[in-house]
Amino acid sequence: MSGLLTIAGLGPGSAALVTPEVSAALADATDVLGYAPYVARVAPREGLRLHPSDNRMELERAGEALNLAAEGRNVVVVSSGDPGVFAMAAAVFETLESYPQWQDVAIRVLPGVTAMLAAAARAGAPLGHDFCAINLSDNLKPWSTIEKRLRLAAEADFAIALYNPRSASRPAGFGRALEILTEAGCGERIIIFAHAVTTPRERVEALPLRDARPEMADMATLVIVGNSATRRVGRWVYAPRRAS
Amino acid sequence: MSGLLTIAGLGPGSAALVTPEVSAALADATDVLGYAPYVARVAPREGLRLHPSDNRMELERAGEALNLAAEGRNVVVVSSGDPGVFAMAAAVFETLESYPQWQDVAIRVLPGVTAMLAAAARAGAPLGHDFCAINLSDNLKPWSTIEKRLRLAAEADFAIALYNPRSASRPAGFGRALEILTEAGCGERIIIFAHAVTTPRERVEALPLRDARPEMADMATLVIVGNSATRRVGRWVYAPRRAS
């Protein structure tokens, strides 16, 4: 009996953005594990066990998934967006390193449309030139590292995608990030707040960074700060391909 | 007669990674435009005009697409990967800005799985922590800008995805990029060469950056340089979620 662990990305929200590869993996699965709101996006069916868990349970979930696969089950761990971007894939490999008894489990990672790509598509093309992605959560890294990266990203003139900008447990970080970017000379840049993109609650707003307020973001928001050349044409925002 | 211009991403190569949203757009299209190898991925059918063009024709292609949509056609411009990442979306908005007569054309951008996500999935999870994406082509920006961004990205300890690392017309740039990263202290980092991912010619290799040679990359290669903590577990490469 040979099991399989698939780490799959469900895309940003809409079923029309789930790749056929991921849909096929879910159709073959015996067990689906993940943060409860993501597992809720998987249709229940006979023979499929759903294992929803809490947000902070990444390592426990990874261990449970590896264990089920080692027992011969066909296991899918689901993430929103892409599983390799601030999501479950790294947690599974971290667990694999700590528990060598699972080293022979067959694993595959199936990519998905990560939130910044869907947000950028709705806004126009703000990631059409060099860019970076920073997770604003300081659960797993010191805030000083985030500050340093924001300053260097501004100096490099990257467009900057900010994941997990704000949560109830970290109300101050995003406001501080806006201050740092302003100090770094980004006040005139365009900032995009993309809330719940590709879902019925979608809301996308673009404004000068100097007018942005911390409460414009929550955990369902993906923020993109344009580079110094990012501009508007009609209702669209885009980064010119040419740079000096 | 109201036309539509859809700018769609076909994903990295495999049909199993084309989103249902993009497949539906192609099924409804009257005209598909794009770089010839990407148009070749669209199945011909009655009533569909295919308009393949050369690689450097982005602005001409964007103008032709806007013009056809303005005439009432249902036009899809295809890019490989995601259309917003170093691809056609920015070229369309740039053209729209230059030619206001097309400002009322209905436009939508449909995201796709960009090459770095597919490459990362094959390798493990090298983009599991903060990262950046840099286009190494100096067709549209000076090489000095690329050098500056590489140095700042190394200082920020980002994982670094390098798009378009090497072409026949730019044989020296990637070798220079490897030198800059070595000077910046990245010699011991893991570098991943992901060639033609999700196609039958796929080949993925990971090695220490100090052992990398320029000829390991061509235009079908996506390169990912790990951050300073990126590590191996078995055959996988991943960025730990925790950072100091």
Side-chain angles (χ1 to χ4, degrees):
Chain A
M1 194 166 58
S2 105
L4 173 63
L5 172 52
T6 302
I7 311 162
L10 296 176
S14 162
L17 285 166
V18 180
T19 66
E21 183 177 70
V22 168
S23 294
L26 291 169
D28 287 343
T30 58
D31 298 81
V32 171
L33 292 81
Y35 177 41
Y38 307 151
V39 172
R41 290 171 54 193
V42 177
R45 61 174 161 76
E46 190 80 36
L48 174 64
R49 292 191 213 158
L50 299 177
H51 307 254
S53 49
D54 194 58
N55 202 6
R56 296 291 184 90
M57 306 291 286
E58 288 96 345
L59 295 182
E60 295 81 348
R61 185 188 302 140
E64 191 185 350
L66 283 161
N67 195 44
L68 286 166
E71 288 172 357
R73 316 262 317 159
N74 189 332
V75 180
V76 178
V77 171
V78 290
S79 286
S80 181
D82 179 89
V85 174
F86 313 132
M88 279 302 296
V92 169
F93 294 118
E94 199 174 309
T95 305
L96 193 64
E97 192 173 359
S98 303
Y99 298 91
Q101 72 265 33
W102 288 321
Q103 67 179 335
D104 294 329
V105 171
I107 298 177
R108 58 177 182 165
V109 183
L110 303 185
V113 174
T114 185
M116 70 178 163
L117 301 183
R122 287 301 198 260
L127 303 180
H129 198 81
D130 301 336
F131 62 92
C132 66
I134 298 176
N135 184 350
L136 274 194
S137 166
D138 59 355
N139 290 335
L140 295 164
K141 63 189 167 195
W143 178 256
S144 59
T145 298
I146 296 174
E147 289 208 5
K148 179 181 175 187
R149 288 184 181 154
L150 288 169
R151 289 185 206 283
L152 290 167
E155 187 181 346
D157 203 7
F158 284 130
I160 306 170
L162 298 174
Y163 280 72
N164 302 318
R166 198 156 182 264
S167 75
S169 63
R170 298 178 287 107
F174 180 58
R176 183 70 192 117
L178 291 175
E179 287 170 12
I180 290 163
L181 290 170
T182 302
E183 289 162 20
C186 302
E188 300 306 309
R189 291 199 193 185
I190 297 173
I191 186 170
I192 297 158
F193 291 87
H195 181 82
V197 277
T198 83
T199 78
R201 303 179 313 286
E202 174 173 313
R203 199 176 63 243
V204 178
E205 189 179 9
L207 65 161
L209 189 137
R210 66 178 138 67
D211 297 334
R213 297 186 313 277
E215 59 274 19
M216 289 176 175
D218 63 20
M219 283 305 274
T221 308
L222 190 290
V223 174
I224 297 176
V225 179
N227 68 23
S228 64
T230 297
R231 48 202 289 127
R232 293 172 186 271
V233 51
R235 78 167 194 80
W236 302 100
V237 176
Y238 82 100
R241 300 171 313 140
R242 201 172 284 277
S244 53
Chain B
M1 193 167 57
S2 104
L4 172 63
L5 172 51
T6 302
I7 312 162
L10 296 176
S14 162
L17 285 166
V18 180
T19 67
E21 183 176 70
V22 168
S23 295
L26 292 170
D28 288 342
T30 59
D31 298 82
V32 171
L33 292 81
Y35 177 40
Y38 308 151
V39 173
R41 290 170 54 190
V42 177
R45 62 173 163 77
E46 192 78 37
L48 175 63
R49 292 191 215 158
L50 300 176
H51 307 253
S53 49
D54 193 58
N55 202 7
R56 296 290 184 88
M57 307 292 286
E58 288 95 345
L59 296 181
E60 295 82 349
R61 185 187 302 141
E64 191 185 349
L66 283 160
N67 194 46
L68 286 166
E71 288 173 358
R73 316 268 310 165
N74 189 332
V75 181
V76 179
V77 172
V78 290
S79 286
S80 181
D82 180 88
V85 175
F86 314 131
M88 280 301 297
V92 169
F93 294 118
E94 200 173 308
T95 304
L96 192 64
E97 192 171 0
S98 303
Y99 298 91
Q101 73 264 34
W102 289 321
Q103 66 180 334
D104 294 329
V105 172
I107 298 177
R108 61 177 180 164
V109 183
L110 304 185
V113 174
T114 184
M116 69 178 164
L117 301 183
R122 287 300 198 263
L127 303 180
H129 198 80
D130 301 336
F131 63 92
C132 67
I134 299 177
N135 185 349
L136 275 195
S137 167
D138 58 356
N139 291 334
L140 296 163
K141 64 189 165 193
W143 178 257
S144 59
T145 299
I146 296 174
E147 288 208 6
K148 179 181 174 186
R149 287 182 181 155
L150 288 169
R151 289 184 207 283
L152 290 166
E155 188 180 346
D157 204 6
F158 284 129
I160 306 169
L162 298 174
Y163 280 72
N164 304 318
R166 197 156 183 264
S167 75
S169 63
R170 299 179 287 105
F174 180 58
R176 183 71 193 121
L178 291 175
E179 287 170 12
I180 291 163
L181 291 170
T182 303
E183 289 162 20
C186 302
E188 300 305 311
R189 291 199 192 184
I190 297 172
I191 187 170
I192 298 159
F193 291 88
H195 180 82
V197 277
T198 83
T199 79
R201 302 179 312 286
E202 174 174 312
R203 199 176 62 241
V204 179
E205 188 179 10
L207 64 162
L209 189 136
R210 66 177 137 70
D211 297 333
R213 296 185 313 276
E215 60 273 20
M216 288 176 175
D218 63 22
M219 283 304 275
T221 308
L222 190 290
V223 174
I224 298 176
V225 178
N227 68 23
S228 64
T230 298
R231 49 201 289 129
R232 292 173 186 270
V233 51
R235 79 167 194 79
W236 302 99
V237 176
Y238 80 101
R241 300 171 311 142
R242 200 172 285 277
S244 54

